[in-house]
Every structure is written in structure tokens, then in C-alpha cells.
Amino acid sequence: DGGITQSPKYLFRKEGQNVTLSCEQNLNHDAMYWYRQDPGQGLRLIYYSQIVNDFQKGDIAEGYSVSREKKESFPLTVTSAQKNPTAFYLCASSVTGGLEPQHFGDGTRLSIL
Amino acid sequence: GQQVMQIPQYQHVQEGEDFTTYCNSSTTLSNIQWYKQRPGGHPVFLIQLVKSGEVKKQKRLTFQFGEAKKNSSLHITATQTTDVGTYFCAGPKRGYKLSFGAGTTVTVRA
């Protein structure tokens, strides 16, 4: 079955530590996205990529970094500069990056130790 | 801030009753999408509305896009426990990005 795989499901970070969240898709979609979800705030866009080797900042990119070296993969690094990283992180993809439906992974829940 | 606003934030429903959740925008939207997120799960795409005044049904769910394309609604009839979750609307923001509303979280009393 085609889909989006996020790993790990749960992640714990120590103060001052960078962590990388994995997102892999086998849907052959061009566009991929990272969202952060906090209670009562819906989904906020961190970064998105419409094509390999290109990505754009979303609404809350500070303290995060991404890469898109392969079409299937869009890892997100939460750096130590992100002062409040505890949240649920969702990766999504869509066919071309236009206004079409997005498909989501199961998410990674990040907590601070 | 977010481009689309959803009301109510929480909806507590007796099983078997109907309810409606609303999505409003200050600007005209080219389209609107609705997603459902079950507790502990991820958002799942439900439907996309594109035309002014469009109405689409999925079993007990009825989705409507306003005539001015600035608002949308989701009406659920005869609510069941399987309807529990958070319903999000999403509209375009600055080109090809989607802006998600804060969601309406639905709980059902059996």
C-alpha cells in the first residue's frame, strides 16, 4: 500500500540537542510538507517542498531545518534554537503542490526531557 | 494568524442528534477542504469544495460552500460514536499553501 511513513512515533529531546524526524513517502508525490500541531491551534506549516532540492519556509520555520535530496524523503530537524519544541509533528504530501488534497503520515510526538 | 476561523471549537453531541460546524474566511477562497482527525490519529482528507453554493454529501455528512465562497459548513445528521474527532477546514493561503482552521472537536454522549 502506498503511504507516508513517519518515524519515530515518539521522540524525546534533551535541552540543547538537535533531533531529526523522518518522513518517507511512496506515493510518487512531488510536494511534501511539515506541520506542527499544538492543542487548540490546528496545523501550522513549518516547511514545504514542491520539488527535489527546493523548499520554502512556512509560517513557523524558525528553529527548524529541512532537506529534500530525494523525492521520497523530507526529513525535519528540530534544532536547539527551537525553544518550545514539544508538539505533534505531521508530515504530508500532495501530488503537485497545488491546492489538491494532502495525505498525512501518522505523526511524531516530540517531548522535552 | 490563520486565514480561516472555525466555530465552535468544541461540540458535545448526544448520539443520534444533528450538529453543524462552520468555517469562515475574511477573503474569498478558491476552494475549501475538510479533514477529520480521530483521537490519536492523523488528519484524513474528507472532501474539497470548489464552486459557489456547492453542496456535497457523504452518507450522513453534508458539506456546503457559501455563495460568496467565504464560508463553509459541515452538517452531520444522526451523530454516531464513529463521528468522534476533530474536523478541520483548510483554505488556500498565499498561493499554493493551505491554511488550516483550529478545528472543531466533537465528542458524543452515548
Side-chain angles (χ1 to χ4, degrees):
Chain A
D1 284 341
I4 299 177
T5 301
Q6 288 188 243
S7 62
K9 193 174 179 68
Y10 299 96
L11 187 58
F12 299 92
R13 194 191 91 167
K14 295 181 181 179
E15 294 284 349
Q17 189 178 49
N18 293 353
V19 290
T20 298
L21 283 58
S22 171
C23 178
E24 303 277 334
Q25 56 102 355
N26 60 6
L27 298 167
N28 199 32
H29 286 175
D30 285 330
M32 298 186 74
Y33 313 81
W34 274 105
Y35 292 93
R36 170 178 172 143
Q37 187 173 31
D38 296 281
Q41 294 194 43
L43 281 68
R44 292 184 290 168
L45 183 64
I46 304 173
Y47 269 98
Y48 66 103
S49 168
Q50 291 183 281
I51 196 169
V52 174
N53 292 322
D54 186 52
F55 47 83
Q56 306 295 328
K57 291 182 179 180
D59 300 316
I60 56 166
E62 186 175 352
Y64 300 97
S65 66
V66 293
S67 63
R68 188 87 188 276
E69 296 177 1
K70 298 186 300 181
K71 186 175 184 178
E72 309 79 39
S73 179
F74 192 40
L76 173 74
T77 296
V78 184
T79 74
S80 57
Q82 173 49 242
K83 297 306 178 188
N84 185 23
T86 297
F88 188 46
Y89 291 88
L90 287 157
C91 179
S93 71
S94 66
V95 177
T96 64
L99 298 174
E100 68 255 340
Q102 295 185 8
H103 301 259
F104 287 83
D106 289 339
T108 292
R109 198 166 295 277
L110 176 62
S111 301
I112 296 297
L113 287 178
Chain B
Q2 292 177 337
Q3 188 173 352
V4 291
M5 302 295 292
Q6 285 187 255
I7 52 171
Q9 186 175 1
Y10 298 99
Q11 183 80 53
H12 308 289
V13 188
Q14 181 71 41
E15 190 173 18
E17 289 184 343
D18 302 352
F19 77 91
T20 303
T21 178
Y22 301 90
C23 181
N24 300 308
S25 171
S26 59
T27 59
T28 301
L29 302 171
S30 59
N31 73 77
I32 195 150
Q33 299 177 18
W34 284 89
Y35 293 77
K36 177 183 179 181
Q37 183 176 23
R38 295 183 185 274
H42 59 272
V44 174
F45 172 77
L46 294 177
I47 208 155
Q48 179 169 284
L49 305 172
V50 179
K51 299 177 183 176
S52 169
E54 188 170 15
V55 177
K56 289 187 175 180
K57 292 189 177 184
Q58 290 181 350
K59 297 182 180 179
R60 296 178 295 101
L61 277 62
T62 300
F63 302 85
Q64 186 165 1
F65 203 6
E67 294 290 342
K69 301 182 76 173
K70 288 186 175 183
N71 54 70
S72 180
S73 64
L74 161 58
H75 180 78
I76 299 182
T77 59
T79 303
Q80 299 177 1
T81 54
T82 54
D83 297 321
V84 164
T86 301
Y87 294 83
F88 295 99
C89 64
K93 177 180 178 182
R94 289 202 298 271
Y96 295 114
K97 295 185 295 184
L98 279 181
S99 174
F100 283 81
T104 294
T105 298
V106 176
T107 56
V108 178
R109 298 189 301 272

